[in-house]
Amino acid sequence: MTIWTLQLYQLLQKGFDATPLVGKAIVLAFVYWIVYATASAGPQPFIYFQF
C-alpha cells in the first residue's frame, strides 16, 4: 500500500471506531441493501439484441 492509501485507511478506521452503534448498524444495513439489490437484479440483455 502507498502511504496515502494507508493514511486514508487509518482515517476511515478511526472514524468508524468513533461512530456510535446505531451509525454502524445503519452502515451495515445500507451495505446489505446494496448487496441484496445487486444480487436480485436480473441480467440485463445485450443492447444490440433489443432492436
Side-chain angles (χ1 to χ4, degrees):
M1 279 197 256
T2 64
I3 291 178
W4 185 83
T5 306
L6 186 59
Q7 289 175 348
L8 179 64
Y9 175 75
Q10 290 173 348
L11 179 68
L12 290 174
Q13 187 176 18
K14 286 179 184 178
F16 192 75
D17 288 344
T19 304
L21 188 60
V22 174
K24 291 176 184 177
I26 291 171
V27 170
L28 181 64
F30 181 71
V31 169
Y32 177 79
W33 177 70
I34 291 293
V35 169
Y36 178 77
T38 303
S40 64
Q44 296 297 320
F46 192 58
I47 187 170
Y48 296 112
F49 293 149
Q50 292 180 358
F51 296 114

